[in-house]
Structure formats: C-alpha cells, structure tokens
C-alpha cells in the first residue's frame, strides 16, 4: 500500500510539473518579448534635437576719430598729420578719396534754406547756443552728417548739420539767430561777429601741401590703424571744426 501511495504522489507531481512548465515558458517568452519591444521602441524614438546657440550680437562699430592738424607728409596710401601738441598721426588713404577745400566766407553768405554745419557751445548766462564756427555746404552736399550731436572740441560743444529755416536778429547779443531744422528736430544757434565762417568748396590733391591745415574724420581699422576717404583742407584758413 505504501508503495502504491508513493507511486500516486509521484505521478501527480509529474502532472503538475508538466502543466506548469509551458506556463512558465510562456511567461518567460512574454517577458523577453516585452523587454525586446521596449528596447526597440527606445531605439526607434527620435533623439531630442541639440540646443541651438543664439547668435552672438554684432559688435558695435567704433566711434569715428577726428584728426586735426597740419600736413607733414602725403603718400599714395597715407597722410601724416601733426596736431597742436606736436604729435604725429598717420591716416591711411584708399586708392580714391575726396578732397574739399575750406575758403573764408562772411555773415551775408548765411542765408535761409542754405545747408550748414555749426559747432556751438551754450552761453553761460542763459544756455542759448552760440556758434564757434559755421561751415556752409554746397547744395550737392545737402544732408551730409545731418543731425544734432555732441562734438569733441569742448565738453559742452555740439555739432548741428541742418537747413536754415529762419533767421532773426539776436536779442541779447549782436548777431543773428538761426533756426536749424534737421530730420527729427530743430535747434536755434546764434552767430556772432567772432564766429568763424567758412565755405566748403571743391578741392583736389594739389591742395594737400605740406603745412596746410587739414581735418579728417577717420574710422578705426581692425589692426588699430586709422583710415579716411574724405579730407577737408584749409585754403588760406584753418578748418574751424
């Protein structure tokens, strides 16, 4: 009897083991399939785009450098200018550059609708602008440097390049008060007897003689040198700006 009981138990264990094994195999295959599918999904998922760096802002252009003085040397590619302190400054020149001459003018040459440039400083008493100089442009140069902005001849100096839209007799001083209109605004400047008045006229390289007074607005180059394509040279006068 004991032997029959053992045999029965053994047969039942075989049945149970046989019935459970396919289930375990199926579970293992299912788990393997899910892991494989998950891996495939991860592999198939598109990679996140790399962050794009914002473009660096363009550097601001260097402010112009104004060079004043007398001509020490002129070559095909440069001009050497000696300032009031005796310091020499070499300015590079392009193959083609413009030369304008400054000639003496008078108060009667300042007329309505003429386009002028004027360096002025505020009167200490009332703050009104009084002209240190006036340079009268030919009509072909109307609009050159138009506006009202600080100037480097004095901490309080300004430059105004504008059209004269009105001329009145100055109230507190002997002279004329000019209403100057430019794009975006207008200002008033008084011209007095001591104001230097010149006129811009066509010039040439022949005017660029050693010792002649000259004025140049230059741009700083990447290598630190200065370069200009425009020279104002005095013809019997010094550029007052």
């Amino acid at each position: 009897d004991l032997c029959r009981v053992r045999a029965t138990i053994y047969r039942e264990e075989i049945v149970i083991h046989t019935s459970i094994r396919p289930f375990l195999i199926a579970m293992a295959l299912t788990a393997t399939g899910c892991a494989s599918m998950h891996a495939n999904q991860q592999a198939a998922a598109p990679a996140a785009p790399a962050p794009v760096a914002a473009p660096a802002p363009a550097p601001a252009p260097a402010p112009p450098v104004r060079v004043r003085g007398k001509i020490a040397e002129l070559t095909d590619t440069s001009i050497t200018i000696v300032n009031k302190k005796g310091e020499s400054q070499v300015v590079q020149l392009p193959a083609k550059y413009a030369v304008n001459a400054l000639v003496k003018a008078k108060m009667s040459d300042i007329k309505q609708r003429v386009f002028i440039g004027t360096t002025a400083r505020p009167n200490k008493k009332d703050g009104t602008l009084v002209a240190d100089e006036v340079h009268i442009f030919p009509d072909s140069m109307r609009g050159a440097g138009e506006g009202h902005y600080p100037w480097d001849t004095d901490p309080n100096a300004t430059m105004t390049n504008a059209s004269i839209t009105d001329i009145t007799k100055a109230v507190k001083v002997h002279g004329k008060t000019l209403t100057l209109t430019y794009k975006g605004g207008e200002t008033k400047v008084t011209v007095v007897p001591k104001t230097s008045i010149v006129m811009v006229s066509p010039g040439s390289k022949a005017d660029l003689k050693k010792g002649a007074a000259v004025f140049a607005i230059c741009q700083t180059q990447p290598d630190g040198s200065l370069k200009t394509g425009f020279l104002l040279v005095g013809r019997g006068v010094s550029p007052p700006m």
Side-chain angles (χ1 to χ4, degrees):
D1 292 337
L2 180 59
C3 291
R4 285 196 297 270
V5 170
R6 288 179 176 176
T8 302
I9 292 172
Y10 178 73
R11 285 195 299 271
E12 289 175 352
E13 287 177 348
I14 292 174
V15 170
I16 292 171
H17 179 72
T18 305
S19 61
I20 290 175
R21 186 178 180 186
F23 174 74
L24 294 176
I25 293 172
M27 287 293 291
L29 289 174
T30 302
T32 304
C34 289
S36 177
M37 182 181 297
H38 181 65
N40 290 338
Q41 288 175 344
Q42 286 184 327
V52 178
V65 177
R66 302 176 185 104
V67 179
R68 305 169 176 88
K70 293 186 177 182
I71 299 173
E73 185 181 11
L74 177 69
T75 70
D76 291 338
T77 59
S78 69
I79 183 170
T80 302
I81 301 170
V82 179
N83 64 19
K84 291 181 179 180
K85 297 179 180 179
E87 300 166 336
S88 295
Q89 177 68 67
V90 177
V91 177
Q92 304 300 321
L93 297 171
K96 292 183 179 181
Y97 56 92
V99 179
N100 278 338
L102 294 174
V103 297
K104 189 173 179 59
K106 50 188 182 296
M107 185 79 78
S108 59
D109 293 318
I110 299 175
K111 303 174 182 178
Q112 203 161 332
R113 292 185 294 277
V114 168
F115 189 82
I116 68 165
T118 177
T119 307
R121 290 178 293 169
N123 186 312
K124 294 180 179 179
K125 294 181 179 179
D126 58 10
T128 57
L129 290 176
V130 178
D132 289 329
E133 62 87 20
V134 173
H135 47 284
I136 303 168
F137 287 103
D139 201 57
S140 60
M141 294 183 69
R142 180 177 295 275
E146 186 170 3
H148 178 75
Y149 36 86
W151 201 243
D152 63 348
T153 52
D154 185 88
N156 297 317
T158 60
M159 173 64 74
T160 307
N161 282 17
S163 296
I164 302 173
T165 52
D166 193 27
I167 302 175
T168 60
K169 185 178 180 180
V171 177
K172 297 182 180 180
V173 295
H174 177 62
K176 296 179 180 180
T177 297
L178 313 179
T179 300
L180 304 176
T181 303
Y182 49 89
K183 292 178 181 178
E186 71 173 31
T187 191
K188 294 182 184 293
V189 175
T190 298
V191 181
V192 296
K194 66 176 184 179
T195 300
S196 176
I197 304 172
V198 295
M199 188 173 293
V200 181
S201 61
S204 69
K205 292 182 180 179
D207 291 303
L208 302 177
K209 300 174 183 178
K210 185 175 181 178
V214 69
F215 172 74
I217 298 179
C218 310
Q219 293 296 328
T220 303
Q221 302 303 295
D223 62 0
S225 64
L226 297 179
K227 189 173 186 177
T228 187
F230 178 77
L231 294 169
L232 275 174
V233 59
R235 191 183 286 167
V237 298
S238 293
M241 68 286 294

